[in-house]
Amino acid sequence: MNAAITTTARMKNPAVVLPDAMKGIQNIYKAMYQGGVCPQVLELVHLRASQINGCSACVFAGVAGAKKHGESDERLHAVAAWREAPYFTDAERAALALAEAATRIADRSGKAVPDDVWNEAADHFTEEQLSAIILMI
């Protein structure tokens, strides 16, 4: 039988503790959503990076944000296995690959995102759009 694990946070969310931090974060989100990328793509990228990082609060927020922008449960359930799932466009796949590569830079001894991953993303997104995706990651 598994015992319920309860934890107490060591501190409040830093964005709430520092008075001007939330304003800055909100401005970054505003800029990302004005970057010309479909909000669903941004939310998929956020969700995948959150899954990799193991942040349960971020995964929850990512799913909620994606659903707010009209994302289907079917696609959300498949994000963790997006390579094998038939639900994603080539542009979405390029964004998800970029999200994984940028999130896992440390897995490659600190080397940058591989050229093939970057080039595929650049084939689908403008520099402004890539900036929005990178900020979301």
Side-chain angles (χ1 to χ4, degrees):
M1 179 185 267
N2 291 335
I5 297 173
T6 58
T7 60
T8 302
R10 292 179 177 160
M11 66 178 286
K12 295 177 190 170
N13 181 333
V16 176
V17 173
L18 300 173
D20 290 332
M22 189 55 77
K23 292 177 196 171
I25 291 167
Q26 289 171 336
N27 284 333
I28 290 171
Y29 269 88
K30 181 178 177 183
M32 285 185 298
Y33 283 103
Q34 292 176 346
V37 179
C38 172
Q40 289 162 310
V41 171
L42 290 175
E43 295 297 342
L44 292 173
V45 162
H46 174 265
L47 177 57
R48 186 64 190 125
S50 299
Q51 290 170 336
I52 293 166
N53 287 328
C55 177
S56 64
C58 299
V59 168
F60 182 86
V63 169
K67 289 182 78 77
K68 175 183 166 189
H69 290 287
E71 196 54 77
S72 71
D73 287 337
E74 186 174 55
R75 285 170 37 102
L76 290 173
H77 291 301
V79 168
W82 63 268
R83 283 182 175 83
E84 291 80 28
Y87 311 119
F88 303 101
T89 67
D90 289 344
E92 291 167 338
R93 290 177 185 283
L96 289 165
L98 180 58
E100 287 187 0
T103 304
R104 292 185 162 145
I105 285 178
D107 294 348
R108 292 184 308 284
S109 301
K111 294 181 182 174
V113 170
D115 288 341
D116 62 325
V117 173
W118 179 261
N119 292 338
E120 182 67 20
D123 285 346
H124 294 280
F125 300 101
T126 65
E127 185 175 37
E128 185 177 62
Q129 291 171 322
L130 286 168
S131 296
I133 291 168
I134 291 166
L135 285 171
M136 182 59 94
I137 296 166

